[in-house]
Every structure is written in structure tokens, then in C-alpha cells.
Amino acid sequence: MSTVEDLTAIVGKKHIVTNAAKSLRFRKGYRSGYGEAVAVVMPGTLLEMWRVIEVLHRDNLIIIMQASNTSLTEGSTPTEGYDRPAVIVKGSRIKDLQLINQGKQVLAFPGTTLFNLEKALKTVNREPHSVIGSSTLGASVIGGVNNNSGGALIQRGPAYTELALYARIDENDQLQLVNHLGIDLGDTPEEILDNLANRRFDINNLPNSDERVGHNRNYEERVRNIDSDEPTRYNADPEELYEASGAAGTVATFAVRLDTFPSEGESQVFYIGTNSPAVLEKLRRHILSEFKNLPVSGEYMHKEAYELAKLYGKDSLIVIDKLGTSLLPTMFGLKATAERILGHIPTFKPYFPDRFLQHAGQVFPNQLPQRLEDYANRFDHYLQLKMAGAGIAEARAYLQDFFKKEDGEYFEANADETNKAALHRYVTASVAIRYQELKQDKIDILPIDVALRRNDDNWFETLPKEIDDKIEYKIYYGHFLDHVMHQDYILKPGVDGHELKKQMLEILDQRGAIYPAEHNVGHMYKAAPSLVEHYKKNDPTNSFNPGIGQTSMKKWWGEY
């Protein structure tokens, strides 16, 4: 039997895609990236997933593990240049999750989304390891762990665990299932997966491991160290690379065990506006070094990002606000299907669904609350400072005194303002893509995800004129308190994005910044030595997601 026939026998005809047009949505990245694949296979159980990987290993095929395909750097899709055919193994059907030890920990599986985890934890007044923007797109928990996802929460740091169940191919080209969950599940892969799937263990009496942890260590101490020459967090930090954590698809992760946290309780967002980047930096340094209570989050937006998101993100904001996030993965799937069908009809230009949504959104009135709009008219920089518990009174007292002397103002946002400001900040991430799709011209976009030094007082970027003149729009937003910034650039027609990126990265190197900060290196960034070492240790044969971080695509890490 052929590989495809064997895979079909495992998952069923309904759950394997071999038609190139139908598989395009899985082979194409969210922002960019594209590659060929023999098939997209969607196992429905952990045992099916193991059987699929057994077949692909037997037939010497490249294995691309994929969850929700929300990667912004091409890290979960195939690329060009492989020496063997590739198959995408999509785990999103395995949606189960299990709260363990009275909800103080969780077992997450390949299709467990961060959104569903947040929802489940609310029933026991707990919260997940991190909150990230792409949770609204159905981002998976395992994908977050695999890709060092950081998110907005100041006190917890990037998604991280040393407790995982994963498959790897060892130095002798032997497929093995590694159980480091800290749960006795048996000896053979079949026993382990069956016992895990059927919960043949005491879910509320699992021992903690003294050697392995289920969350990021000592992050509060790191983020408070404002005088360090090093960034707070970044993708290639050796302290955040451990087996499945930071694996970037170089292993097949079946389950992770993560710590959860008590709910923050009462919270308050202080919406801050100023025309001076120095004022925000002064505020940041005092909060991190002097506040007894660390903020929950501190999300930044620049005026140009605010205005562009208002124009090109309105329809997304309306959909999320009115319908919630649970339907978004389905809606994105329907949009991809519509693009595939309409792409064969000459009457319709490319990206017709996005063009339609853009125009439809303009029929609705402005969705942003008046106080946010007033600040947009008066200030260039905005910070959403979220405090909880005793931190609310601490921030209130300090801000009242601070803005008696400093340029800027603040207000305490009500529930609607808090929700709309957060959604507006989120949809900013898709502005550059929407702009490019609408213009239908050869316009490059350049997204950079950067971790600045903790002691970088001049955090707001000022570009040399010869570079600035090549850029149409600069979209600045990010996680300000730990100096992790997203800087998206819409380039002028005819400007070569690849060449400009080299110049931009040289400037960041001179500033002591590290990139990417919280996204997978994907195929857009060159992996740092610490990442390459991690990938090779995980996958000596280079069978899982080869070429990641612009490394070798050849079996056994051959020269490239």
C-alpha cells in the first residue's frame, strides 16, 4: 500500500486532504510562506496521531506538525527546497483538555486552544500561563509552548513547561515516544496513549516534580531588572528551551502539563496618553522598580497604528465584539474556502472576501469610545496599563501625582472602553496584511518582532532618512513594560522588503536588541546558535520541520 493509502486507513478518507487546491489553506502561512505537501492528515485521537507518524517515519517523509496555523513567520507551513516529500500532520481535531490537581495544573493536547483553556479555567477561578493576541484565532496551547509565545502578562513570561509527552526520532533513526509528563502511564506507546486518553490515573492527586517545572521560572525578578543590558524575553533564550518548549515543530508534541494561576480578581485599566516617549519610559521604569504590585499587562500603541487599525481593522473588531471569539476559527476556514472557490472565477480579484469585509465594515459607525478618540486627537502614544487587586490603588495614587508634573493624561477606563481598547490593539496585528490585500499592488510589508534591552531609554524608533523615505506607514505596538515591540512597516511601491529588512536588522543589532522576541523564527529569521543546538538535540535526523530558522533542509542536517 502507498503512504497515502496507509494514512487514509488510519484517519479515514474524510480526514486526509491530497487535493492541492483544498490543502492550500494549510500549506500557506497566515502572513506569508508557502510550500508543497503530499497530504494534510488530521488524526482524531492520540493513537491515530502516533500511527500517522509511524507511517511517515517508515516512508522517510518530512513531518510538518501543525495546530491552528496562526504563525506569523511561516513556522508551521512547508517551504521550498526539501530533499524529501512533506506531509502536514494537523492535530486540531484532538481538542480535549484536562484540569488536574483541582485545576492548579492542566493537561493540554494538540487541538486544545488557549481560548478553550481560558474558558475552562474560569469555572475554577484560575487563569492560564499566558494570554496572547492570536488566542482569538484559535491558537493552540501546544503551539504556544513550541514557539516560545510570550503574550501580554507581565508576571508570567513566555509559555514554558518541562512536562511533556512527545515523539522524536533519535540518533539511530528510531522513532520513540518520550513521556516526561510526570504521570505513570505504562511502557509502550500504545499503553501510554490509551491510558492518557482514557484518564487511567488520579487526575486530582498527581505528584509534583522537583526536577521539572510547569511554568516560567523567576520572570518577575527578570522583568524588574530594568538596568540589564539584556532583553527580558526572546525566542532564543537558552533558559526557555527544553524539549517541547521552544521546539518549533522539531518534535511531535502529544500533550503538555502546565501550571495555572489564581484569577486576578478585580482589575482596572488606566488608559494613558502622552506626546513624549520619554514620559512612558520614565513611567515604565518606576512601575517595574518601585511598585509593590506588578501590573497585569501594559499594552502600547502609536498614533499611526491606532488610525490604521481604525480604518483597516474595523470589521474584525465588530465581529469579535459582537460574535465573540469562539466562531473565529470557523469563519477563517470559510473565508479560506471562499478564496479557493472564487480564485477560479476571473471576475473576482484576489482576496475578494477581505475586500468585501473591508467595504462592509465602513457601513457601520465608528466603534471606538469617545474618550479613546479624544486621546487619539491629542496624543501620539497610548498605554493600556492593567492593574489588579491592591495594585489598582497603588497605580491610581502614583498616576495622579505623576501627571501633575509630566506631559500627558490618563483616565480609568470603563468596561466598554477596556474591551474596545484591547480589541483595537489586537486587530492592529493584521493591518499591514489587509492593506496589502486591498491595494493589489506589488507592495511589500515588513513585520519585525523585537525584544529591546531592558535599559534602552530611547525605545521609540527613529530611522535614518534614507530608510524612512522608503516606508509608507510605520505601525508600532507591543508589550511595553517588558520592552517587546511589534514593528510592522508598509513599504512604498517598488521597495525591496528583503533588502530593507537587512538594513533594519543591522540597526537593531547596534541597539543590542534581539529578534524575534516571541514568535517562532519560522523561515523568516536565521536561528541563533542556541536554537540550532536545541533543534538538533530534539531531532538528530532532521525529519520534523526541517529548514526552520533557515537551517538545513536535508536529512541528517546535511550541508546547505
Side-chain angles (χ1 to χ4, degrees):
M1 295 178 70
S2 70
T3 300
V4 171
E5 289 173 334
D6 285 347
L7 295 175
T8 304
I10 295 168
V11 302
K13 189 174 182 180
K14 183 179 178 181
H15 301 298
I16 184 169
V17 182
T18 56
N19 178 278
K22 292 182 178 180
S23 69
L24 180 61
R25 57 177 289 205
F26 307 109
R27 297 184 290 108
K28 185 177 180 181
Y30 178 67
R31 270 184 176 160
S32 62
Y34 166 83
E36 301 295 338
V38 172
V40 179
V41 191
M42 293 168 275
T45 67
L46 294 174
L47 188 57
E48 283 186 4
M49 185 166 141
W50 172 255
R51 296 298 187 208
V52 165
I53 293 171
E54 280 187 316
V55 169
L56 300 180
H57 172 243
R58 180 199 72 192
D59 294 348
N60 193 34
L61 271 69
I62 285 171
I63 304 167
I64 308 292
M65 301 302 301
Q66 186 181 100
S68 302
N69 194 20
T70 59
S71 171
L72 300 178
T73 58
E74 308 173 9
S76 56
T77 52
T79 189
E80 299 178 350
Y82 294 138
D83 61 346
R84 295 147 285 163
V87 168
I88 296 172
V89 181
K90 190 168 182 65
S92 55
R93 289 181 61 218
I94 312 174
K95 299 180 182 297
D96 201 5
L97 69 87
Q98 178 67 62
L99 301 185
I100 58 177
N101 290 343
Q102 293 80 38
K104 294 178 181 177
Q105 291 185 313
V106 61
L107 287 173
F109 300 94
T112 303
T113 65
L114 190 53
F115 173 79
N116 285 332
L117 176 56
E118 290 177 29
K119 186 177 178 180
L121 287 174
K122 282 182 180 178
T123 65
V124 291
N125 294 314
R126 306 284 294 184
E127 295 179 348
H129 56 283
S130 61
V131 174
I132 59 176
S134 54
S135 62
T136 56
L137 298 179
S140 72
V141 175
I142 284 179
V145 170
N146 252 224
N147 296 326
N148 306 94
S149 294
L153 300 182
I154 298 302
Q155 302 170 26
R156 299 174 196 170
Y160 179 80
T161 186
E162 296 170 359
L163 300 161
L165 174 68
Y166 61 93
R168 70 187 292 265
I169 299 172
D170 68 14
E171 295 81 356
N172 300 312
D173 202 17
Q174 297 298 307
L175 178 65
Q176 57 183 215
L177 186 67
V178 180
N179 179 15
H180 285 164
L181 286 173
I183 307 172
D184 185 3
L185 295 169
D187 299 317
T188 68
E190 291 77 12
E191 284 179 329
I192 292 169
L193 297 173
D194 183 59
N195 287 333
L196 179 60
N198 290 287
R199 309 296 191 269
R200 296 193 181 99
F201 53 89
D202 186 347
I203 63 171
N204 286 318
N205 193 31
L206 293 175
N208 291 322
S209 170
D210 294 331
E211 298 178 357
R212 300 175 187 272
V213 298
H215 72 280
N216 195 287
R217 296 180 178 89
N218 306 320
Y219 192 72
E220 180 172 340
E221 179 183 333
R222 292 173 62 185
V223 79
R224 283 188 179 276
N225 185 6
I226 58 174
D227 294 319
S228 172
D229 286 332
E230 299 290 329
T232 311
R233 56 181 171 93
Y234 56 97
N235 186 275
D237 186 348
E239 294 185 12
E240 309 301 330
L241 304 175
Y242 190 94
E243 297 178 350
S245 291
T250 55
V251 297
T253 309
F254 286 72
V256 292
R257 179 177 171 183
L258 291 158
D259 295 333
T260 67
F261 302 86
S263 293
E264 63 191 30
E266 181 188 7
S267 64
Q268 176 63 56
V269 167
F270 297 87
Y271 194 88
I272 297 166
T274 181
N275 286 310
S276 171
V279 166
L280 286 187
E281 182 60 22
K282 185 176 181 179
L283 184 65
R284 168 187 171 270
R285 291 182 66 84
H286 180 89
I287 288 172
L288 294 180
S289 61
E290 302 296 336
F291 269 29
K292 181 179 179 180
N293 303 279
L294 272 183
V296 176
S297 61
E299 294 297 286
Y300 167 79
M301 284 186 72
H302 180 253
K303 183 181 183 67
E304 192 162 38
Y306 181 100
E307 296 297 341
L308 287 171
K310 181 179 172 181
L311 181 59
Y312 297 107
K314 184 199 285 188
D315 59 292
S316 296
L317 187 149
I318 292 171
V319 169
I320 299 171
D321 184 46
K322 303 303 181 187
L323 300 181
T325 58
S326 59
L327 293 176
L328 280 186
T330 300
M331 294 178 68
F332 272 89
L334 292 173
K335 185 167 78 74
T337 301
E339 287 178 351
R340 173 175 61 83
I341 295 171
L342 297 176
H344 297 288
I345 304 174
T347 307
F348 293 95
K349 293 181 179 181
Y351 304 111
F352 175 80
D354 277 289
R355 296 165 67 84
F356 173 79
L357 290 171
Q358 175 66 24
H359 291 296
Q362 303 314 305
V363 174
F364 293 87
N366 178 26
Q367 301 293 300
L368 298 174
Q370 188 58 50
R371 287 203 289 185
L372 270 66
E373 290 287 83
D374 289 343
Y375 271 41
N377 291 329
R378 298 166 53 208
F379 300 115
D380 290 341
H381 307 274
Y382 324 112
L383 180 66
Q384 300 170 42
L385 179 67
K386 185 176 183 180
M387 305 297 299
I392 298 173
E394 184 177 20
R396 180 179 292 132
Y398 179 71
L399 291 174
Q400 286 175 351
D401 182 63
F402 183 80
F403 282 112
K404 289 177 182 177
K405 299 171 267 186
E406 301 291 345
D407 169 42
E409 293 180 17
Y410 77 96
F411 64 83
E412 297 189 26
N414 61 32
D416 182 61
E417 290 165 336
T418 296
N419 179 53
K420 294 286 179 56
L423 290 178
H424 192 58
R425 156 66 181 84
Y426 162 68
V427 301
T428 307
S430 61
V431 164
I433 304 170
R434 172 62 65 84
Y435 183 91
Q436 188 181 45
E437 291 171 345
L438 290 173
K439 295 302 179 182
Q440 299 285 298
D441 296 323
K442 292 185 177 180
I443 297 173
D444 272 354
I445 59 175
L446 176 58
I448 295 180
D449 162 42
V450 60
L452 304 176
R453 301 188 329 267
R454 278 171 270 178
N455 63 357
D456 190 348
D457 292 342
N458 298 315
W459 61 273
F460 188 71
E461 182 176 69
T462 302
L463 293 170
K465 187 176 186 303
E466 61 271 19
I467 292 180
D468 198 60
D469 287 345
K470 298 177 181 178
I471 299 171
E472 192 73 39
Y473 297 110
K474 297 186 287 290
I475 306 169
Y476 295 131
Y477 57 103
H479 315 301
F480 180 67
L481 296 182
D482 49 11
H483 264 191
V484 170
M485 304 300 292
H486 299 288
Q487 302 178 169
D488 298 346
Y489 307 91
I490 298 174
L491 309 185
K492 292 181 178 178
V495 174
D496 184 343
H498 292 288
E499 185 58 36
L500 189 63
K501 183 177 182 179
K502 293 179 184 177
Q503 300 175 45
M504 302 282 275
L505 296 184
E506 287 178 5
I507 293 173
L508 292 175
D509 289 339
Q510 294 168 8
R511 295 176 60 189
I514 296 180
Y515 47 83
E518 60 179 1
H519 295 155
N520 187 326
V521 290
H523 296 289
M524 297 180 67
Y525 293 94
K526 185 175 181 179
S530 58
L531 283 175
V532 176
E533 180 183 356
H534 185 52
Y535 299 159
K536 287 184 175 181
K537 184 177 180 180
N538 273 342
D539 184 21
T541 67
N542 205 20
S543 298
F544 289 93
N545 209 13
I548 198 75
Q550 301 177 11
T551 58
S552 171
M553 297 187 189
K554 297 182 180 179
K555 188 76 178 278
W556 300 105
W557 297 88
E559 292 186 8
Y560 57 100

